[in-house]
Amino acid sequence: DIVMTQSPDSLAVSLGERATISCKSSQSVLYTSNNKNYLSWYQQKLGQPPKLLLYWASLRDSGVPDRFSGSGSETNFTLTVSSLQPEDVAVYYCQQYYSTPLTFGGGTKVEIK
Amino acid sequence: EVQLVESGGGLVKPGGSLRLSCTASAFSFRTYSMNWVRQAPGKGLEWVSSISPGGDKIYYADSVRGRFTISRDNARSSLYLEMNSLRADDTALYYCTKDTRVGDPGDAFDVWGLGTMVTVSS
């Protein structure tokens, strides 16, 4: 099984500042045949289902603000919120869909400082 | 609006059974793989099972294999999860999710339902 490890578990960022979340996979999620990283990011606000933010590690889903960006390849990935807004308070999860069992990171809680 | 609506959750005793349903609307259900993902109270996300558009490819988490059965009825745009031999650690909010792309399982989930709560307790 591919283990997804997120860090930190939580972080507090001032409004307008950058938030950065790390996600590491225990093995590569890069398919060399198509050069795609099978890695997605989700945002879950309190009391709501998760919402897809990014897939293929860096492609924003429809309607996702451009302050959300993803980077990385193979085993190391980053979600960046360039300028934190009040509505970005949430728990963020990474997920690999390279192989079953599909696995999620443990989550990172983002709060306002 | 693309929508998934789960139902069938409830309180069940250990060893009992439950059948969850998910009704899809506003997209071509028969062309997408579908999934169940669960979240125990206060915990993270756990993938449970996936099924291909035609139902010929099915995958399960080790924690539920042999106890849970995923199925679908494309004519009714519905996804199901039959859960047997339920245990306390199956207590969770169960989400129905849709794959982002058409085709076989193994994708990000772009649509989530609101979930249905399953509580296993004596």
Side-chain angles (χ1 to χ4, degrees):
Chain A
D1 298 5
I2 299 177
V3 177
M4 307 300 291
T5 303
Q6 287 183 233
S7 61
D9 291 337
S10 64
L11 75 161
V13 176
S14 300
L15 286 174
E17 295 301 305
R18 180 186 302 260
T20 303
I21 299 169
S22 170
C23 174
K24 296 183 189 298
S25 57
S26 60
Q27 62 190 77
S28 175
V29 299
L30 172 66
Y31 250 117
T32 52
S33 59
N34 59 11
N35 201 35
K36 288 183 183 293
N37 287 284
Y38 283 55
L39 189 284
S40 57
W41 288 97
Y42 300 87
Q43 175 194 64
Q44 186 177 31
K45 297 181 180 180
L46 192 63
Q48 296 183 17
K51 172 190 173 184
L52 177 64
L53 293 177
L54 302 161
Y55 56 101
W56 301 134
S58 62
L59 253 61
R60 276 186 294 275
D61 195 27
S62 175
V64 174
D66 61 7
R67 64 179 180 273
F68 292 93
S69 64
S71 63
S73 186
E74 297 190 50
T75 61
N76 286 278
F77 300 92
T78 300
L79 171 68
T80 300
V81 187
S82 60
S83 174
L84 196 74
Q85 301 302 303
E87 61 267 32
D88 301 333
V89 169
V91 179
Y92 293 83
Y93 296 93
C94 61
Q95 178 217 359
Q96 65 80 18
Y97 47 100
Y98 181 90
S99 64
T100 55
L102 309 181
T103 46
F104 292 87
T108 296
K109 186 175 185 179
V110 174
E111 300 172 308
I112 304 295
K113 186 186 292 183
Chain B
E1 179 191 358
V2 175
Q3 197 171 14
L4 299 170
V5 178
E6 303 94 337
S7 60
L11 174 63
V12 61
K13 288 182 168 51
S17 299
L18 216 51
R19 189 193 196 210
L20 305 185
S21 299
C22 169
T23 301
S25 58
F27 68 96
S28 181
F29 180 80
R30 65 180 65 245
T31 63
Y32 288 89
S33 290
M34 298 294 294
N35 318 273
W36 290 99
V37 175
R38 68 184 181 183
Q39 187 169 35
K43 302 297 184 183
L45 302 169
E46 180 187 15
W47 168 78
V48 173
S49 182
S50 298
I51 186 169
S52 61
D56 55 317
K57 294 177 183 167
I58 287 175
Y59 306 94
Y60 295 103
D62 286 347
S63 57
V64 307
R65 185 177 291 111
R67 301 186 299 122
F68 290 12
T69 302
I70 191 172
S71 62
R72 64 191 296 161
D73 183 340
N74 287 338
R76 297 177 185 270
S77 295
S78 293
L79 177 72
Y80 306 102
L81 187 67
E82 187 77 38
M83 303 186 297
N84 298 315
S85 303
L86 282 161
R87 311 184 303 221
D89 61 0
D90 294 317
T91 294
L93 185 61
Y94 284 74
Y95 293 106
C96 169
T97 74
K98 166 190 166 291
D99 271 16
T100 301
R101 297 167 298 152
V102 299
D104 285 345
D107 201 358
F109 307 145
D110 67 343
V111 182
W112 296 63
L114 294 180
T116 187
M117 186 68 201
V118 172
T119 303
V120 184
S121 174
S122 54

